Amino acid sequence: MLPNRQPADEQISSFRLKLPTPELERALQLKDILERTSSLKTLLLLLVLMGTSLIIGDGILTPAISVMSAVSGLQGEIHGFGESALVIVSIIILVALFSIQRFGTGKVGFMFAPVLALWFFSLGSIGLYNLVKYDISVVRAFNPIYIYLFFKKNGKDAWSALGGCVLCITGAEAMFADLGHFSVKAIQIAFTLVVFPCLLLAYMGQAAYLMKYPDSANRIFYDSVPDSLFWPVFVLAALAAMIASQAMISATFSCIKQAMALGCFPRLKIIHTSRKRMGQIYIPVINWFLMIMCVVVVSIFQSTTDIANAYGIAEVGVMLVSSTLVTIVMLLIWQTNLLLVLCFPLVFGSVELLYMSAVLSKIAEGGWLPLAFASVFLCVMYIWNYGSVLKYRSEVREKISMDFLLDLGSTLGTVRVPGIGLLYNELVQGIPSIFGQFLLSLPAIHSTIVFVCIKYVPVPMVRLEERFLFRRVGPKDYHMFRCVTRYGYKDVRKEDHHVFEQLLVASLEKFLRKEAQDLALERNLLESDLDSVSVASRDPEASGSYGTEELKIPLMHERRFDESGTSASEETTSALPSSVMALDEDPSLEYELSALREAIDSGFTYLLAHGDVRAKKKSFFLKKLVINYFYAFLRRNCRAGAANMSVPHMNILQVGMTYMV
């Protein structure tokens, strides 16, 4: 659904072409159906945004319930430690937890592994101890017949109890954040060999304890811990709760960062807290928002029971969305056997629907909370995406025709002064209307103009040598180019403007050399009259080639920038003797490279639009309300484009622009 898609994006190495197979043909047919049906695309977008919204809701509920559950152990151990004390201590721990987020996971992550290792070891050991001491016969519960007997005996109460069982399997969504810190294999081994057996032993030990002390159900975890181990286990439980909360907060940051990259969330400041791990990020606004919401939730509910009801609905909702999307991925991306594709939603989906039917009965008892959070975030993300797409379509409609520029001539109807003007816009082809505003507003324009479009493509990462796409705009003497800079949604834009300028210019020089080589080769082929080879003309001066020629990919394998080259005037370069140039060099190429170096020495200027988006007068009321008020509010309060693009404020020129959508 990204509006600025290009065929050249599929040449990125992440888009691996596969050999023709029946599965590939089926995937292409389904993909074509999805892309041609706007209602299916919108439904898929809403489904993804709903899952993302529920993840953000989890980022609020997980710290609240984890910390309160750990601290609740003090209620039976310290006399007079009541509900008010529980809330106050939980809030203090939550504030401390969110306050250390700005240091990044890397600064505090050294303690995660030993703490979690001790935590799971203690769970498994205590569970095994209780199992042997109290009632080892609970291992009979592995017999599936007891599931049938349980439902037969308890009926509706058994079905309602499934809502509580959900809390035994929560935490899987935190793997999304863990993937930013560990490999898939490491997580698979940890869950299979450590997490699952230790949790199984812990729950079996608690069941054995309840066989002898059934009245301990409300405080089973801490009651089943031997008295001599209470305080060590309490400290471990508090630390484990903070680590679990940290994982969920990181997952929220990751989701929002990728949603921003794909145009589904307002721009926010992102701080990268690690030089080695790109997944370790910190978003200040979201961090403090989550903290405030956690404090509000703990203050209002004051117990883990209602929060658990809300937590269950959020968890099962995420699982259902994940299963649906994984099924689509199996069809389109993995191209799995159709039988396995059908079995996956049948097995997992039926279990999740069963759990969902159980937790939905808890909506009135706190389950409405994650649905309210998800609805708010869903509206924010959909409105931002809707407004951004309309703004892009408005830019496409209002772009300047090439005939108009040709009428102005190579001076563009003004004075060309040395320097490089980087005009940032969202178009991948055509001349943006904002360029006309600059021509009208400025007494002079730079000798070299580059229309820069920074876009994110639906792949995780784009290699540096595939990042820049260049195309010439207009005849050679116009010195105008288009540069599309592509990033993956997980890519980290760490380079400052100096590094970006160097990479861009190095890529532009390689593009000019590659273009000259291609033109020389074509001329040689035509002169040799090779009828067996059909070559299309790539001369940018040819009529009608300015807007339709595909972007050319420069070679960026050699990351160097010639800063030692001295500038020379255009007249001097054109007069260079042939002995100075390589035999295969085109004199016009040396002339253009010299002009480019002179422009580099004069400096870079960033030309930006200060845009206002308004709905057309004939638009219906709901569209006016969404665009003129809600979307406008988000644009005013999100991060400014200049800050988001990491451009220097001293070198910025801005003009106002109103987009009617």
Side-chain angles (χ1 to χ4, degrees), residues 158-461:
W159 169 75
S160 180
L162 285 176
C165 295
V166 170
L167 299 178
C168 299
I169 57 174
T170 56
E173 78 290 340
M175 285 193 292
F176 184 87
D178 296 332
L179 285 172
H181 310 281
F182 306 101
S183 66
V184 174
K185 185 64 68 176
I187 293 176
Q188 290 174 335
I189 293 173
F191 267 68
T192 306
L193 301 182
V194 179
V195 177
F196 179 70
C198 289
L199 288 179
L200 197 61
L201 285 172
Y203 288 128
M204 289 170 61
Q206 292 173 23
Y209 186 88
L210 284 173
M211 296 293 287
K212 188 169 184 180
Y213 303 103
D215 295 335
S216 297
N218 291 332
R219 198 175 174 272
I220 177 59
F221 174 75
Y222 283 108
D223 282 352
S224 64
V225 175
D227 293 338
S228 59
L229 295 178
F230 173 82
W231 286 108
V233 170
F234 172 78
V235 172
L236 277 177
L239 292 175
M242 295 182 70
I243 293 172
S245 302
Q246 164 71 32
M248 203 58 244
I249 295 168
S250 298
T252 305
F253 292 160
S254 299
C255 272
I256 290 176
K257 189 260 181 187
Q258 296 182 22
M260 287 167 55
L262 296 175
C264 293
F265 204 91
R267 297 183 299 268
L268 300 173
K269 182 179 181 180
I270 297 177
I271 298 174
H272 301 276
T273 58
S274 172
R275 294 181 179 272
K276 298 179 180 179
R277 299 280 183 177
M278 70 172 62
Q280 297 183 13
I281 61 175
Y282 168 66
I283 306 178
V285 173
I286 298 299
N287 182 68
W288 302 123
F289 172 80
L290 293 179
M291 186 193 76
I292 293 171
M293 288 295 101
C294 282
V295 170
V296 169
V297 168
V298 171
S299 302
I300 292 176
F301 287 97
Q302 299 188 355
S303 72
T304 58
T305 304
D306 288 342
I307 300 179
N309 294 332
Y311 193 50
I313 289 182
E315 293 291 334
V316 181
V318 170
M319 292 177 185
L320 275 171
V321 173
S322 298
S323 296
T324 305
L325 297 179
V326 168
T327 304
I328 297 174
V329 168
M330 292 172 73
L331 283 169
L332 299 182
I333 312 299
W334 299 342
Q335 295 161 23
T336 313
N337 182 277
L338 189 59
L339 182 62
L340 292 176
V341 173
L342 294 175
C343 288
F344 178 80
L346 189 65
V347 174
F348 288 91
S350 58
V351 174
E352 288 159 359
L353 284 173
L354 182 64
Y355 278 114
M356 178 58 82
S357 66
V359 297
L360 282 178
S361 62
K362 308 291 186 181
I363 286 183
E365 303 170 17
W368 55 270
L369 188 63
L371 299 179
F373 283 139
S375 299
V376 171
F377 279 104
L378 176 63
C379 289
V380 168
M381 289 192 285
Y382 187 77
I383 288 173
W384 182 261
N385 178 266
Y386 176 69
S388 300
V389 171
L390 288 182
K391 177 179 176 291
Y392 180 83
R393 290 175 181 170
S394 173
E395 289 189 4
V396 172
R397 285 195 310 269
E398 297 171 5
K399 61 186 180 183
I400 300 173
S401 68
M402 180 55 66
D403 293 336
F404 175 73
L405 281 191
L406 292 176
D407 291 339
L408 292 177
S410 60
T411 62
L412 300 176
T414 182
V415 179
R416 303 294 292 269
V417 295
I420 295 181
L422 301 181
L423 194 150
Y424 279 67
N425 67 106
E426 297 182 10
L427 295 184
V428 293
Q429 59 181 358
I431 302 169
S433 57
I434 190 64
F435 185 57
Q437 295 288 335
F438 277 106
L439 292 179
L440 292 173
S441 304
L442 299 178
I445 201 71
H446 303 81
S447 58
T448 300
I449 298 293
V450 181
F451 300 113
V452 180
C453 171
I454 294 180
K455 65 177 248 182
Y456 288 85
V457 291
V459 296
M461 288 169 284

Side-chain angles (χ1 to χ4, degrees), residues 475-489:
K476 281 189 175 182
D477 57 347
Y478 278 55
H479 301 293
M480 294 170 58
F481 305 91
R482 175 173 306 286
C483 172
V484 176
T485 309
R486 304 177 298 182
Y487 291 89
Y489 56 83

